[in-house]
Amino acid sequence: MAKRVIVIGLDGLSPELVFLWREELPYLARMMEEGCYGRIQSSIPPTTPPAWTCALTGKNPGQFGFWGFTYRKDYGYGEPELVNSTAIRTDTLYHILPRYEKKVAIINVPVSYPPPEVPGGFAISGFLTPSTESQFTHPATLKEEVAKLVGDYIIDASISDTNFRITDKDKVLERVYRMDQQRFDLLKYFIKEKGCDYVLAVIMGTDRMSHLFCRYFDKEHINYEDNPRYRDVLKGHYKLCDTQVGEVRGLLDDETVLIVHSAYSVQRLDGRINLNEWLISEGYLKLHRRPTELTPLAKADVDWSQTKAWASGCAGQLYVNLKGRESEGIVTEEEYEAFLDELSEKLLAITDEKGRKLDSKVMKRNDIHFGKYAEFGPDLFITCDDGRYNISELVGYDSTCSYETPKGADDGAHGEFGYFALVGPGVLKGQELQNVTLLDMAPTVLDALGIDIPADMEGNSLLSGGSSTERKAERAYSREEEEKVRRRLAGLGYV
Amino acid sequence: MAKKRVLLLGLDGAEPSIFQDLMQRGALPNFSRLKRRGTYSKLWTTTPSISPVAWTSMLTGCNPGKHGNRGFVSRRLGTYNTACDLYDIEEDADGLPRYLRKKNVDTIADVLTKAGKTSFIINVPATFPPDAIQGAMVSGLGVPDIKGTFGSSTIYVSSLEGKPSNERYIQVSYPGKGQWFTSHIPGPKDISTPVHFLAEDGKLKVSLDKQRTVAEVACGQWSDWFRIPFSTAGGRTFEGIGRLKLVRLTDKELELYMTPVNYSPINPLNNISAPPDFARELAAEVGLFGTMGFTADHTALKARVISDETFIEYAYHAFRERLQVARYIIENKEWELVIVHFFLVDMLQHMFWRYTDPDHALYDEAKVETSGKIIEQGYIDADRELGKLIDSVSQDTLIILMSDHGFSTLRNWVNINNWLYEKGYLVLKEGEEEGYGEDTEGTFIRSFREAGDSQKAAIDWSRTRAFTCGFTGIHINLAGRDPLGCVKRGREYFQLKQEIATGLGKLTDPRTGGPVFKKIVPREDIFVGKFAPTFPDLVPFLHIGYNLSRENVFGEIVPGAPVIQPNDNKWSGGHAGPYTPEDAAGILVVAGKGVKEGVSLEPAPRISDLCPTILSVLGVEVPAHMDGRVLDIFT
């Protein structure tokens, strides 16, 4: 059993890149030798708020209630609510651990504004914090401590109202480095000075840099640009993170479990499907009037009485206009399954602008999600080309496919598999683990600290002898010990 | 400036509807006056709505998920067995029971002790063994009788003829008047003390040595408590106390009732007060007093071996003793907080609701005139006597009159385990199914209570997905958590709970056609805290009138019994449900200097609010872990 668990979240870190650059990432490489590692499956969809919340709760979005940056509070057609920490309507690790007298700190967790009142613990809100004017720490007095420690706290790479993709890239780069350094400094502070039993610090830099600089290092990128100035910036950031992981590990004793993981990868963006435009073209969605500019569906003039399905959010979430649930629903409960099948079949046939059939996957909500809030979730999910095609809900485009976003180009898109590595007592050594998902993170933390895994958590502990279904035998003896035991067994006639 | 003080009077089980009705009729003048001076409200109870749990929330300011008290009987964690959950019991060197306090969070008395303040906590349920505090604590509900039970009385009879089969009866060879005859008083295990009787002049003399008379009773009369010494084979001595009621005495026949032998306050088998001398001090000042947690012999009345009158007389005697103890403390001690618990109304309601509900199986119209007012009279007597206590303290003392839960009729038992069996969620081992439905003796119960380990039980745990035990509800047999768990965490767990909730929600009472369950709620929506995972996975809240069957509480399945079983037990009023905290709400009256008059409390206060409220009145910081909030009732 471990005395403490430290988790470094490296948002958007891609397992393929870690493996590719392994030689240049000595500390992650050492973690992989001394512990276990692998690819970690993200949430569906692999969007920041649900993904990190899956990791913190061990539960699928149906159990906590959101699938993107916004969520449905009711079955209305209006603009959905923006997620915030109170939208997580189930226990997270920062609820459970304090009950067992564990001291908790969460730093920059994506859905942690307003800062949760962690009993006896600490919270510094993530990038959904409006500004540093806001009360973004728990306890409130922590805000001053943060300022003393790191100076002006940087909430995100972008300043509110400014799209970081069109600001000066050098400036953003500098800001990302400063921002991430603050997080690492805080993480070390909570380990060293506050004696926390569990710290989760999420570093957003990798995600932000990938979105911003993908075109400079992925030659297959549609906007590939050979620019020596930016060619290695992403690798540079991976190396920075690696060094920081090494420094953090240096602070830990061997009764600590250290976990490093991302919640998805960031990969190149190949294109975009304007899903509501597609639904309109297929006759599933009807507008009274076409908007003259790009408009979110909630603000468009939809003829609900003739609409069977619509998309919302940016990750392929489709909703059925269900009779009895939505106020103007037209698909009956009896038709529901067949309609989803019909829709799926057509969705799978979507092509890119050149007529190439996309490698699409369609999933019914009820096949993958369950829980108290599942009903508020999308009825159907679609991903195209392993996520390299983004999905937009905006209407007002002249076609189903487009690349540019209304606020400029985005280079990156979220991929289904993130990276993880963990090391410490109870962790298998040098093993690459298969079939690991974000849902395993919370059970692993609890198991490491000797706390029973709650029945509603869906994942398994990754520790050896944990609740994981797959276990591997380990060498348990030194050579001398083994010789002794073998001799004893021989004496007993067993070997 | 005068010291701030709080007097809390706990009228266990006082039901808001009866309380309000009697107040409107002017029958509770003292309580009405108190209400006019302050605030009255319903007080939401805990889940489960039973005294040990609710009172622990009162004392700790925490929800049961945090304080961990699950009631009299609960599942023993990590097993399929049930166990007493009031305390842990171990055997001492003499093989006699020793009790270990189960306390997971500080009580209000602990918090006050740390703040240098004095409290007296008198007979509050689930405080045994007592805690060392500044002031004193006398344990309440949970203190056993000398035999280690919640009420094993003895009935000495000259003949067993015409008596029901019951272990309470001891046959004596009654020689008629004028001659000593001898029997024994059973103590713990095989220890007993001889007792000698002599019938003379229409009275029965009782002696432990044939010389000194310890009691003398005439027909229909009660003796005072008398001291009964016991000693072990090893020579260790301890003392019980008993009272006698002579039920019948003729030349040929004798029937003599003796209360369960209570721990003596002077030399008890286990301490019932802290400091231990405090009980002795009380005995010296107010006389011997009953110490057993249950202050009436409900098990004997249920077994139909004593009369209503005997039960009532016993309960009232205990009530008067409690009043004397309270008065002594209030008048003679320095205190900041006094909490006194009164069981009278709860006990009367449990046993005599049958005379007030025409739809109860045991309703007897012929007895309504004589017995229909027993319960009301209990409230009226409590009003009169507690009124005197209230008047005896200064006006600036904060008075809290409250009950831990309400009360209602108990018309039907619900055998959820039978329903789970019928629906295939609970599976019996092969061969065991055959006997199912053929309960020829009426006593054959497939029990895992005594099974010791799951392998011996009739239930096939490797195939059973859900089962009921304890007062709170349904446990899912979860893989990785339960020894032979077969339900997977996550989706399977969630869907099974949903399925059971939907199924039970549709269950109707064949006699009324109405629904039986009000709502079925997952545990995590109710309990918060370290001990939340020790509660059942699903809490099936019943409609008023239905109670989870006692067999189900013990984790048993009653072969052949219907899911809804009419209650023909004299235990005819209830509150255990499980009922929602709102449905089983108790009462709350708060009055005193600084309390707003006539303020109504919205949302309704919860029983866990009392502890923070009292602390704040006494100027002590409310610990952050408490769930309750300070009531907004002060000017």
Short mmCIF file of all heavy atoms in Angstrom, two decimals, chain B residues 18 51 53 75 84 108 116 121 146 195 231 239 255 257 311 345 378 392 424 456 502 527 534 538 567 570:
data_model
loop_
_atom_site.label_atom_id
_atom_site.label_comp_id
_atom_site.label_asym_id
_atom_site.label_seq_id
_atom_site.Cartn_x
_atom_site.Cartn_y
_atom_site.Cartn_z
N ILE B 18 -49.80 13.54 16.30
CA ILE B 18 -50.44 13.39 17.61
C ILE B 18 -50.13 14.61 18.48
O ILE B 18 -51.01 15.17 19.13
CB ILE B 18 -49.94 12.10 18.31
CG1 ILE B 18 -50.29 10.87 17.47
CG2 ILE B 18 -50.51 11.99 19.71
CD1 ILE B 18 -49.79 9.56 18.06
N SER B 51 -33.97 4.69 16.48
CA SER B 51 -33.37 5.49 17.56
C SER B 51 -31.84 5.48 17.61
O SER B 51 -31.24 6.54 17.71
CB SER B 51 -33.94 5.04 18.91
OG SER B 51 -35.32 5.30 18.93
N VAL B 53 -29.59 5.18 15.42
CA VAL B 53 -29.00 5.92 14.31
C VAL B 53 -29.33 7.41 14.44
O VAL B 53 -28.46 8.28 14.33
CB VAL B 53 -29.52 5.38 12.96
CG1 VAL B 53 -28.86 6.12 11.81
CG2 VAL B 53 -29.26 3.88 12.85
N ARG B 75 -25.49 -5.75 8.69
CA ARG B 75 -24.64 -6.72 8.05
C ARG B 75 -23.22 -6.61 8.62
O ARG B 75 -22.71 -5.51 8.81
CB ARG B 75 -24.58 -6.41 6.56
CG ARG B 75 -23.73 -7.37 5.81
CD ARG B 75 -23.88 -7.14 4.35
NE ARG B 75 -23.00 -8.03 3.63
CZ ARG B 75 -22.66 -7.85 2.38
NH1 ARG B 75 -23.14 -6.83 1.71
NH2 ARG B 75 -21.88 -8.70 1.78
N CYS B 84 -25.01 -7.61 15.87
CA CYS B 84 -25.41 -6.45 16.65
C CYS B 84 -24.50 -5.29 16.28
O CYS B 84 -23.29 -5.45 16.25
CB CYS B 84 -25.28 -6.78 18.14
SG CYS B 84 -25.55 -5.34 19.18
N ILE B 108 -21.25 15.51 20.91
CA ILE B 108 -21.29 16.89 21.41
C ILE B 108 -20.60 16.99 22.76
O ILE B 108 -19.94 17.98 23.06
CB ILE B 108 -22.75 17.40 21.46
CG1 ILE B 108 -22.76 18.90 21.73
CG2 ILE B 108 -23.59 16.64 22.48
CD1 ILE B 108 -24.10 19.55 21.47
N GLY B 116 -13.80 22.62 27.59
CA GLY B 116 -13.87 22.87 29.03
C GLY B 116 -15.27 23.07 29.57
O GLY B 116 -15.47 23.70 30.60
N ILE B 121 -25.18 13.54 29.93
CA ILE B 121 -25.89 12.87 28.84
C ILE B 121 -26.55 11.65 29.46
O ILE B 121 -25.88 10.68 29.82
CB ILE B 121 -24.91 12.44 27.72
CG1 ILE B 121 -23.98 13.60 27.31
CG2 ILE B 121 -25.66 11.88 26.52
CD1 ILE B 121 -24.65 14.78 26.68
N ILE B 146 -29.06 -8.44 32.69
CA ILE B 146 -27.94 -9.21 33.24
C ILE B 146 -27.62 -10.43 32.37
O ILE B 146 -26.51 -10.93 32.35
CB ILE B 146 -28.24 -9.62 34.70
CG1 ILE B 146 -26.95 -9.91 35.46
CG2 ILE B 146 -29.15 -10.85 34.76
CD1 ILE B 146 -26.42 -8.78 36.23
N VAL B 195 -33.36 -17.95 45.40
CA VAL B 195 -34.32 -17.00 45.96
C VAL B 195 -35.40 -17.80 46.71
O VAL B 195 -35.75 -18.91 46.29
CB VAL B 195 -34.92 -16.10 44.86
CG1 VAL B 195 -35.64 -16.91 43.80
CG2 VAL B 195 -35.85 -15.04 45.44
N SER B 231 -22.35 -14.42 41.75
CA SER B 231 -20.90 -14.61 41.74
C SER B 231 -20.53 -15.73 40.78
O SER B 231 -21.27 -16.70 40.57
CB SER B 231 -20.37 -14.91 43.14
OG SER B 231 -21.07 -15.98 43.70
N GLU B 239 -23.68 -7.41 40.61
CA GLU B 239 -25.00 -7.27 41.19
C GLU B 239 -26.03 -6.91 40.13
O GLU B 239 -25.74 -6.14 39.21
CB GLU B 239 -24.92 -6.13 42.21
CG GLU B 239 -25.97 -6.14 43.25
CD GLU B 239 -25.73 -5.00 44.24
OE1 GLU B 239 -24.96 -5.21 45.20
OE2 GLU B 239 -26.30 -3.93 44.04
N GLU B 255 -48.49 -16.89 40.61
CA GLU B 255 -47.82 -16.36 39.40
C GLU B 255 -47.13 -15.07 39.80
O GLU B 255 -47.78 -14.12 40.28
CB GLU B 255 -48.80 -16.12 38.26
CG GLU B 255 -48.07 -15.61 37.02
CD GLU B 255 -48.95 -15.53 35.77
OE1 GLU B 255 -50.00 -16.21 35.72
OE2 GLU B 255 -48.59 -14.77 34.86
N TYR B 257 -44.33 -12.23 38.57
CA TYR B 257 -43.53 -11.69 37.45
C TYR B 257 -42.31 -10.97 38.00
O TYR B 257 -42.44 -10.20 38.96
CB TYR B 257 -44.39 -10.71 36.64
CG TYR B 257 -43.61 -9.86 35.66
CD1 TYR B 257 -43.20 -10.38 34.44
CD2 TYR B 257 -43.29 -8.53 35.95
CE1 TYR B 257 -42.47 -9.62 33.55
CE2 TYR B 257 -42.57 -7.75 35.06
CZ TYR B 257 -42.16 -8.29 33.86
OH TYR B 257 -41.44 -7.54 32.97
N PHE B 311 -47.15 -4.16 31.59
CA PHE B 311 -46.24 -3.44 30.70
C PHE B 311 -46.27 -1.94 31.00
O PHE B 311 -45.24 -1.29 31.15
CB PHE B 311 -46.63 -3.71 29.24
CG PHE B 311 -45.80 -2.94 28.25
CD1 PHE B 311 -44.63 -3.49 27.75
CD2 PHE B 311 -46.18 -1.67 27.84
CE1 PHE B 311 -43.85 -2.78 26.84
CE2 PHE B 311 -45.40 -0.96 26.93
CZ PHE B 311 -44.24 -1.51 26.44
N VAL B 345 -43.20 7.40 25.67
CA VAL B 345 -44.13 7.55 24.55
C VAL B 345 -43.80 6.56 23.44
O VAL B 345 -44.69 5.94 22.84
CB VAL B 345 -44.08 9.01 24.05
CG1 VAL B 345 -44.81 9.15 22.73
CG2 VAL B 345 -44.68 9.94 25.10
N GLY B 378 -50.00 9.03 27.54
CA GLY B 378 -48.53 9.10 27.64
C GLY B 378 -48.03 10.50 27.32
O GLY B 378 -47.18 11.05 28.03
N SER B 392 -38.41 24.31 36.20
CA SER B 392 -37.41 24.34 37.27
C SER B 392 -36.10 25.01 36.82
O SER B 392 -35.24 25.27 37.64
CB SER B 392 -37.13 22.93 37.78
OG SER B 392 -36.32 22.23 36.86
N GLY B 424 -35.99 -14.25 -8.68
CA GLY B 424 -34.74 -14.88 -9.10
C GLY B 424 -33.48 -14.12 -8.74
O GLY B 424 -32.38 -14.49 -9.16
N LYS B 456 -22.39 -22.50 4.88
CA LYS B 456 -23.36 -23.30 5.60
C LYS B 456 -24.80 -22.86 5.30
O LYS B 456 -25.74 -23.55 5.62
CB LYS B 456 -23.11 -23.19 7.11
CG LYS B 456 -21.85 -23.90 7.56
CD LYS B 456 -21.71 -23.77 9.07
CE LYS B 456 -20.29 -24.12 9.49
NZ LYS B 456 -19.93 -23.47 10.74
N THR B 502 -37.31 -0.64 -10.18
CA THR B 502 -38.50 -0.59 -11.02
C THR B 502 -39.48 -1.68 -10.59
O THR B 502 -40.69 -1.43 -10.45
CB THR B 502 -38.12 -0.80 -12.50
OG1 THR B 502 -37.08 0.13 -12.81
CG2 THR B 502 -39.29 -0.58 -13.42
N PHE B 527 -26.35 8.74 1.74
CA PHE B 527 -25.27 8.71 2.73
C PHE B 527 -24.00 9.32 2.15
O PHE B 527 -23.62 9.04 1.03
CB PHE B 527 -24.98 7.28 3.17
CG PHE B 527 -26.19 6.60 3.76
CD1 PHE B 527 -26.89 5.64 3.05
CD2 PHE B 527 -26.62 6.95 5.03
CE1 PHE B 527 -28.00 5.02 3.60
CE2 PHE B 527 -27.74 6.34 5.58
CZ PHE B 527 -28.42 5.37 4.87
N THR B 534 -20.77 1.22 3.92
CA THR B 534 -21.20 0.11 4.76
C THR B 534 -22.73 -0.04 4.74
O THR B 534 -23.26 -1.01 5.25
CB THR B 534 -20.75 0.30 6.22
OG1 THR B 534 -21.46 1.41 6.80
CG2 THR B 534 -19.26 0.57 6.31
N LEU B 538 -29.14 -0.18 -2.04
CA LEU B 538 -30.44 0.40 -2.41
C LEU B 538 -31.27 0.59 -1.14
O LEU B 538 -31.35 -0.32 -0.32
CB LEU B 538 -31.22 -0.56 -3.31
CG LEU B 538 -31.12 -0.43 -4.81
CD1 LEU B 538 -32.07 -1.46 -5.44
CD2 LEU B 538 -31.45 0.96 -5.31
N ASN B 567 -49.62 -7.71 9.99
CA ASN B 567 -48.95 -7.75 11.28
C ASN B 567 -49.94 -8.10 12.38
O ASN B 567 -50.81 -7.30 12.72
CB ASN B 567 -48.32 -6.37 11.56
CG ASN B 567 -47.76 -6.29 12.97
OD1 ASN B 567 -47.41 -7.30 13.57
ND2 ASN B 567 -47.66 -5.08 13.49
N LYS B 570 -48.42 -7.71 18.73
CA LYS B 570 -48.79 -6.56 19.56
C LYS B 570 -47.84 -5.38 19.34
O LYS B 570 -48.17 -4.26 19.68
CB LYS B 570 -48.82 -6.96 21.04
CG LYS B 570 -50.00 -7.86 21.38
CD LYS B 570 -50.09 -8.14 22.85
CE LYS B 570 -51.31 -9.04 23.12
NZ LYS B 570 -51.41 -9.40 24.54
#
